[in-house]
Amino acid sequence: MQINSKIYFDNAATTALAPEVLETMTQVLKDNFGNPSSQHSFGRASKSILETTRKKIAEYLGVSASEIFFTSGGTEADNTALIGAVESLGVKHIISSKIKHHAVLHTLEYLQQKKGVRVSYVALDNKGYVDYQNLEELLKNSSEKTLVSLMHANNEIKTLLDLEKVGNLCEKYNALFHSDTVQTLGHYRVEPKKYKLHFLVASAHKFHGPKGVGFLYVDNKIKIDSFIHGGSQEKNKRGGTENLYGIAGLGKALELALLNVDEHQKEVKILKNEMIRLLNENFEGIAYNTDVENESLYTVLNVAFPYNDKSSMLLFHLDMKGIAASGGSACTSGASTGSHVLTGINAIPNQVPVRFSFSRMNTLEEVHKTIEVLKEILK
Ligand SMILES: Cc1ncc(COP(=O)(O)O)c(C=O)c1O
C-alpha cells in the first residue's frame, strides 16, 4: 500500500487499519460510550456490541462464544494460556520450539525459572519445520502433565505447522495443545475444534484491525483461573472495563478478512510470486529463508541477500527510498544480537535477511517499484 508514495511491505509486523474497521470503531466511540456492565440502556447497547462481536468471532472459528476471551492482544493471550496451563491445570512440562515469538519464549523462561516447569524444544529441520517424529518421542517420554506450544506460522520465516497432526499427537498422549495463530488467523480459516486445540491466540492488528486488542480461545473442557483480578468482566477471568471500540474493530476486521479469504490468498500469492520471479531474474546469489518451494505462509517472503558492501545497509537504504521492510520480527529487528529464529534454523551464512510481508492492500506496481529500487541500491 502506498502512503504518500511510500511502500509498506512490513505487514507481518502490523497492518494498516481497513477503512471499514475505522468506520465501525468511530461509530462505537461516538455512539456507544456506555459501560457494558451498566444495567441501563446505554450499558445494554454496549453489552450487545460486545456479545454480538464475541458470537460472530466464535461462529467464524466454529466454537462457542463462551470460549472466546478478549485480551489486549497476542502477547497477553499467549501469557495467559501458558501461565494458566501451569497454574490452573497442573502442567509441569512444556514442549515448544526455539523459533517461537518472544511472547511465548520469554513466558517459557519465566515459567522455567520461577515455577520449575520443564521445557523441551522439539527438533527442527534446516527450513524450520517441526520434526514430528521427535515431537512424538518427546510426548511418549513425558511422564508429567504436558502442554505442547507450537505456533501455526513462524513470524520471520513462515514455515507452517500441521495443526491437525500435532492435535492428533496431543490427543494420543493426553497433552494440552496451545497454538499462537497471530500470523495466520485472518489469512486462513483456522478451526480450533478440528485441530483439537485447547488454546488459540489471535491479534487484530495483523489483519487490518486495531492494535492493543486480540483474543484467547480456551476450550470449554478446561477451566483456567482469573488472569486479571478485578471486576466480573470476561466471565470473571479478566477484570477491567472492556476495550469496546477495539473489540468492535477486531470483529469487523476478522469479518472482512475471512469474507473473501480465498480471493485475498490468490491476490497476495501473485504479489509474492512476482517478487520471487523478479528477484531471481535480476540479482545473483539470491536465496530465501522462507521455504519458497513448499507451502509456507503466503504473506511473507524472507530474502537472503548475499552480504557485501552494498547490501550491508539494505534495510536502511530501502527506508530512505520510502520502502518499509524488516530484518525479522518487529521485536528483534534492530537488536545487534540478530534473529533467534534464523540462528535457530542454522540459516544461510553471510546473508542480509530482508523480510517483505504483503497484504491485500499491496499492489503489483509496488513490487515492480521495489525491484527497481533494489537494482539502484545493489548494482
Ligand atoms: C507470532 C506472534 N505472536 C505474538 C505476537 C504479539 O502480538 P501483540 O502485538 O498483539 O501483543 C506477535 C506480534 O508480532 C506475533 O507475530
Side-chain angles (χ1 to χ4, degrees):
M1 57 176 311
Q2 290 208 338
I3 299 168
N4 302 329
S5 84
K6 287 187 178 186
I7 296 176
Y8 186 75
F9 276 145
D10 197 14
N11 291 281
T14 196
T15 53
L17 207 62
E20 300 90 329
V21 174
L22 179 61
E23 208 176 294
T24 300
M25 291 175 71
T26 311
Q27 204 175 344
V28 172
L29 267 170
K30 279 200 301 213
D31 301 342
N32 298 95
F33 64 87
N35 187 323
S37 298
S38 297
Q39 301 299 311
H40 46 63
S41 63
F42 292 82
R44 291 199 305 275
S46 294
K47 182 83 171 174
S48 163
I49 291 172
L50 185 66
E51 295 312 327
T52 312
T53 308
R54 197 189 309 278
K55 197 159 163 254
K56 190 163 83 172
I57 292 172
E59 275 168 16
Y60 291 139
L61 270 64
V63 304
S64 149
S66 62
E67 297 178 302
I68 303 293
F69 298 86
F70 292 116
T71 66
S72 64
T75 304
E76 181 189 321
D78 276 329
N79 271 257
T80 303
L82 295 167
I83 295 171
V86 171
E87 292 187 343
S88 312
L89 304 171
V91 164
K92 299 261 187 293
H93 178 201
I94 300 179
I95 301 171
S96 188
S97 129
K98 285 220 164 110
I99 61 167
K100 300 278 292 187
H101 191 271
H102 282 150
V104 171
L105 276 186
H106 290 168
T107 311
L108 293 183
E109 277 164 25
Y110 161 79
L111 289 169
Q112 217 170 1
Q113 284 159 20
K114 304 282 182 189
K115 306 280 172 181
V117 172
R118 185 159 78 90
V119 179
S120 311
Y121 295 101
V122 68
L124 304 170
D125 69 14
N126 63 356
K127 286 186 170 152
Y129 287 104
V130 163
D131 177 340
Y132 296 103
Q133 233 175 326
N134 179 247
L135 176 62
E136 178 150 19
E137 284 299 310
L138 290 170
L139 280 164
K140 204 188 285 178
N141 295 325
S142 183
S143 51
E144 312 105 311
K145 177 115 184 147
T146 305
L147 170 90
V148 171
S149 171
L150 290 171
M151 66 213 289
H152 189 195
N154 177 271
N155 47 306
E156 289 187 42
I157 53 173
K158 301 300 164 186
T159 44
L160 281 172
L161 182 77
D162 187 337
L163 285 170
E164 200 163 357
K165 201 178 233 175
V166 178
N168 286 335
L169 281 175
C170 288
E171 186 181 55
K172 182 169 171 191
Y173 295 99
N174 201 22
L176 295 167
F177 182 19
H178 159 248
S179 189
D180 176 325
T181 60
V182 166
Q183 289 290 334
T184 51
L185 201 100
H187 305 299
Y188 293 90
R189 287 196 182 85
V190 182
E191 299 162 77
K193 299 288 178 199
K194 181 172 162 196
Y195 308 132
K196 299 172 180 134
L197 277 159
H198 296 92
F199 300 102
L200 170 141
V201 167
S203 177
H205 73 101
K206 305 290 184 174
F207 47 88
H208 303 289
K211 292 166 192 47
V213 61
F215 66 85
L216 172 66
Y217 155 83
V218 184
D219 186 339
N220 261 343
K221 290 200 277 301
I222 55 172
K223 295 274 172 279
I224 57 166
D225 299 330
S226 299
F227 45 92
I228 294 196
H229 305 284
S232 60
Q233 291 91 351
E234 297 302 295
K235 298 174 284 301
N236 286 316
K237 297 285 187 266
R238 184 183 190 268
T241 305
E242 299 87 344
N243 169 9
L244 192 66
Y245 58 96
I247 290 167
L250 157 63
K252 187 70 189 173
L254 195 58
E255 176 191 317
L256 293 170
L258 293 181
L259 201 63
N260 295 312
V261 70
D262 298 330
E263 226 169 274
H264 296 156
Q265 280 196 21
K266 250 189 252 155
E267 287 164 10
V268 174
K269 276 180 189 171
I270 290 172
L271 302 180
K272 179 170 163 174
N273 289 338
E274 180 71 346
M275 183 78 120
I276 294 170
R277 187 183 74 78
L278 290 172
L279 283 169
N280 290 340
E281 204 173 281
N282 287 285
F283 302 95
E284 265 176 38
I286 287 278
Y288 299 94
N289 297 310
T290 312
D291 185 3
V292 288
E293 271 129 47
N294 297 298
E295 179 71 5
S296 54
L297 179 57
Y298 65 93
T299 50
V300 172
L301 182 65
N302 195 321
V303 187
F305 288 93
Y307 182 90
N308 55 42
D309 284 354
K310 286 180 182 160
S311 67
S312 62
M313 300 277 283
L314 189 50
L315 280 174
F316 171 78
H317 291 302
L318 282 171
D319 191 29
M320 290 297 99
K321 302 267 184 190
I323 298 170
S326 109
S329 156
C331 318
T332 52
S333 49
S336 58
T337 47
S339 155
H340 69 286
V341 173
L342 292 182
T343 316
I345 60 163
N346 298 322
I348 303 148
N350 298 325
Q351 64 158 291
V352 176
V354 178
R355 183 186 72 176
F356 295 100
S357 45
F358 310 93
S359 88
R360 63 179 191 263
M361 296 186 184
N362 288 120
T363 62
L364 271 175
E365 192 196 340
E366 291 173 325
V367 170
H368 296 153
K369 169 127 193 257
T370 302
I371 295 291
E372 291 312 309
V373 170
L374 281 168
K375 280 196 220 163
E376 271 175 48
I377 300 170
L378 296 172
K379 288 205 166 162

